[in-house]
Amino acid sequence: MSRSVIENATKRTGKRHRLDKPELLAPAGNLEKLKFAVHYGADAVYIGGQKYGLRSNADNFSFEEMREGGEFAAKYGAKVFVATNIYAHQEDLDGIAEYLKQLEDAGIAAIIAADPAIVETAQKYAPKLEVHLSTQQSTMNWQAVRFWKEEGLPRVVLARETTMDEIREIKHQVDVELEVFIHGAMCSSVSGRCVLSNHFTDRDSNRGGCCQSCRWKYDLHADEESVMEQGQNPFTMGSKDLCMIQHIPDLIDAGVDSFKIEGRMKSIHYVASVVNAYRQAIDAYMADPEGYRLKPEWVDEIGKAANRPLNTGFFYSVPGSGEHIYEAEEKPAPYDFAAIVTDYDESTGMATVQQRSPFRPGMEVEFIGPGGRQFAQKVGDLTDVEGGPLSVARHPLQKVRLKTEHPVFPLDLMRKCIK
């Protein structure tokens, strides 16, 4: 970062404590997704272990996988954080000290915690772990942020309900790292602290069991009679997704240190596409703040991932009725994830790919790679790895060979047009 950018940041925030450039923090539901998140530009990833996290339905990580993921991330200069963000009942705390010490031994850089009991236990028994305050604490004022800093926490993940003006004020008042969600699913409740799931299914949202009841389809009754008109669609209580790709300068100017993407349950294609777009936007701004311009291809790339309708959350105004999804969602993404490149032969221009959804000759596809590498083409002849002709790649994880119009590299992705 240039001296002028640092000085300007100091004038805006009144503080010098901020990362050299904003950290791009990506979700990883399993080890494969972790590797793709880092490969496509994440500075850090957050994962879940087998206990104490709020995504019990994600694949989550064993300690061996955490260690492997940390070693892979370190090769790229990236870090791994572990979510331990449940609100614990008494029985949940059995074994928590040993669990946190194992995270420390596995090379994890930080935990993300909400419950003060977990925070205090980590500080006592695993002092090498940084403790970041989870968004589940609904922190949105500088006095609360200062309290947590005085408790020894170097970073606070602000509530999704925090506005841009409030972020500026917090950064001005408190010399601490601020992490903010900038992309992904929003919650119809306050900072995810919902009890609908508990009521309907006896699955505790705040202990990792959310059944996403806000996404269910509902009828409306008065007494025992439906009051919905005949033929009217059932409604949901789900909110639109957050997207701040068009507002990178505002986030940096406000003093946000870590840009967090939601989505540990999302696909490899989603994680790679979204990280790729934000990586390019952040790097472009940091390279030339005065000459920065939003590129349409970054916005297009976001649109090619599987998003719900998008908005800017609470950053600029309180979302109104138009920011919720009431009827069946139209699938906005015009592409499906089709394959991962595993090898490329420069002499023949032939790529070997691992199938993730069916494709066949004649289909329109795109290849994408880190840094915005991208090109479109039609699928030509297909063969298996022994050279036998294929009329379609239909088997999951099948290795397939095809000619590409430009060079590709391992971990590049192929997606198919479904317009």
Side-chain angles (χ1 to χ4, degrees):
M1 179 186 283
S2 69
R3 180 178 298 275
S4 61
V5 173
I6 295 174
E7 290 174 349
N8 288 339
T10 304
K11 290 175 183 177
R12 289 193 296 267
T13 65
K15 305 289 180 183
R16 280 193 176 272
H17 183 94
R18 62 185 303 173
L19 301 182
D20 288 341
K21 73 174 184 178
E23 172 188 88
L24 182 56
L25 176 57
N30 59 33
L31 184 58
E32 185 179 42
K33 293 175 185 177
L34 180 153
K35 291 179 179 179
F36 274 87
V38 172
H39 183 69
Y40 277 76
D43 299 302
V45 293
Y46 64 100
I47 66 175
Q50 301 295 325
K51 298 179 180 179
Y52 308 115
L54 288 185
R55 289 294 182 270
S56 61
N57 290 329
D59 291 344
N60 293 321
F61 285 67
S62 66
F63 289 115
E64 292 75 16
E65 289 172 327
M66 289 182 190
R67 189 170 286 104
E68 181 179 343
E71 290 171 355
F72 179 88
K75 294 177 183 177
Y76 289 79
K79 298 179 180 179
V80 179
F81 308 152
V82 173
T84 57
N85 53 346
I86 66 167
Y87 280 105
H89 289 234
Q90 194 61 48
E91 64 267 25
D92 295 323
L93 293 175
D94 292 340
I96 183 65
E98 181 60 30
Y99 179 81
L100 294 170
K101 285 191 284 187
Q102 287 179 288
L103 294 183
E104 185 180 61
D105 292 341
I108 298 304
I111 62 166
I112 305 166
D115 193 310
I118 295 177
V119 171
E120 186 177 52
T121 302
Q123 291 172 329
K124 182 176 181 180
Y125 292 101
K128 294 180 183 177
L129 283 177
E130 282 193 1
V131 181
H132 299 170
L133 187 71
S134 171
T135 190
Q136 296 300 113
Q137 269 289 349
S138 302
T139 309
M140 59 187 83
N141 65 76
W142 67 262
Q143 290 94 335
V145 172
R146 184 175 63 185
F147 169 85
W148 287 109
K149 183 195 172 183
E150 290 173 353
E151 289 298 308
L153 276 63
R155 179 181 295 191
V156 171
V157 188
L158 295 177
R160 286 176 171 87
E161 296 77 23
T162 313
T163 69
M164 197 73 78
D165 286 341
E166 288 170 334
I167 294 170
R168 289 191 182 94
E169 181 65 12
I170 291 167
K171 193 66 178 182
H172 178 73
Q173 295 288 346
V174 187
D175 185 14
V176 71
E177 290 178 12
L178 297 180
E179 181 177 307
V180 170
F181 279 96
I182 52 89
H183 194 92
M186 297 287 282
C187 183
S188 295
S189 187
V190 177
S191 291
R193 296 194 293 180
C194 176
V195 296
L196 285 177
S197 180
N198 306 52
H199 177 71
F200 290 142
T201 67
D202 199 28
R203 288 169 51 181
D204 193 337
S205 300
N206 299 299
R207 298 167 83 188
C210 180
C211 68
Q212 297 198 350
S213 47
C214 59
R215 305 289 179 187
W216 294 0
K217 293 181 179 179
Y218 292 90
D219 198 349
L220 183 62
H221 286 251
D223 297 324
E224 296 184 5
E225 297 292 326
S226 172
V227 298
M228 296 183 72
E229 297 178 7
Q230 187 173 4
Q232 188 174 0
N233 291 327
F235 66 92
T236 75
M237 294 183 286
S239 59
K240 294 180 179 179
D241 280 4
L242 175 66
C243 177
M244 291 293 287
I245 190 69
Q246 300 184 47
H247 305 282
I248 297 299
D250 283 0
L251 291 164
I252 295 175
D253 184 73
V256 175
D257 294 282
S258 180
F259 290 11
K260 188 170 191 174
I261 298 167
E262 183 275 340
R264 278 192 282 149
M265 303 288 285
K266 297 287 192 178
S267 70
I268 290 169
H269 175 244
Y270 176 93
V271 172
S273 299
V274 173
V275 169
N276 207 4
Y278 279 99
R279 176 78 280 153
Q280 293 174 75
I282 293 169
D283 288 351
Y285 179 85
M286 297 308 296
D288 184 9
E290 299 300 326
Y292 175 82
R293 296 292 182 273
L294 177 73
K295 291 187 177 180
E297 52 262 40
W298 302 334
V299 181
D300 291 344
E301 187 66 14
I302 293 291
K304 291 175 181 178
N307 299 286
R308 299 180 182 95
L310 302 172
N311 68 12
T312 56
F314 287 79
F315 282 104
Y316 299 105
S317 63
V318 176
S321 60
E323 305 310 317
H324 286 260
I325 302 169
Y326 299 101
E327 297 187 357
E329 306 166 31
E330 293 184 5
K331 181 177 175 61
Y335 290 86
D336 269 351
F337 175 32
I340 298 170
V341 175
T342 62
D343 196 15
Y344 178 72
D345 187 338
E346 292 185 13
S347 64
T348 62
M350 296 292 290
T352 303
V353 303
Q354 184 187 66
Q355 190 260 38
R356 292 303 175 99
S357 67
F359 59 93
R360 64 178 69 246
M363 274 189 168
E364 294 281 352
V365 297
E366 282 187 356
F367 286 90
I368 65 168
R373 288 189 294 104
Q374 181 176 314
F375 65 91
Q377 70 170 66
K378 282 189 177 181
V379 175
D381 294 338
L382 300 177
T383 70
D384 59 27
V385 289
E386 285 79 32
L390 297 173
S391 60
V392 59
R394 61 165 55 92
H395 302 297
L397 306 184
Q398 178 183 19
K399 291 289 186 70
V400 178
R401 301 188 75 225
L402 72 158
K403 191 175 184 63
T404 61
E405 295 180 3
H406 300 281
V408 290
F409 302 89
L411 300 187
D412 283 1
L413 301 182
M414 187 183 89
R415 56 192 177 203
K416 59 186 179 182
C417 181
I418 57 172
K419 295 178 182 178

